[in-house]
Amino acid sequence: RYAPPSTSRDRMSPREYLALAERLLATARAVEPPTAPAAECRTAISRAYYAAYNCAVDFLDFLGFETTNSHNCHTAVQFALNQSGSVT
């Protein structure tokens, strides 16, 4: 069974991105009145996306797929996930 590494390469770990997203949302919710400011929400969504993206890259590396840092790396990760045949 796959377990994501705590750190990988020279980038933030997926857990670090997700923790940042959660902190941003907590900060946004603390505003009076309790309406989350748009900038904090957009940034939290972006950080949560990168948590998922980096987890996918780590998973593909685990499966032996090569990932790239090219201009189309996000599309390449999506394609590789679709081709991996793995559901776990």
Side-chain angles (χ1 to χ4, degrees):
R1 191 145 173 97
Y2 171 74
S6 58
T7 59
S8 181
R9 301 182 194 165
D10 291 329
R11 58 179 162 80
M12 288 172 57
S13 76
R15 293 174 202 262
E16 291 171 315
Y17 272 114
L18 191 56
L20 177 56
E22 290 169 344
R23 286 194 308 271
L24 286 165
L25 280 180
T27 299
R29 288 183 178 140
V31 173
E32 291 292 331
T35 57
E40 283 85 349
C41 287
R42 285 193 302 269
T43 304
I45 290 166
S46 174
R47 299 308 87 191
Y49 167 82
Y50 276 98
Y53 171 78
N54 285 334
C55 191
V57 168
D58 289 343
F59 181 61
L60 290 169
D61 287 345
F62 172 79
L63 292 177
F65 283 82
E66 291 234 5
T67 55
T68 178
N69 289 327
S70 69
H71 69 282
N72 64 343
C73 58
H74 293 254
T75 303
V77 166
Q78 180 184 358
F79 179 79
L81 284 172
N82 288 333
Q83 299 302 311
S84 72
S86 182
V87 294
T88 59

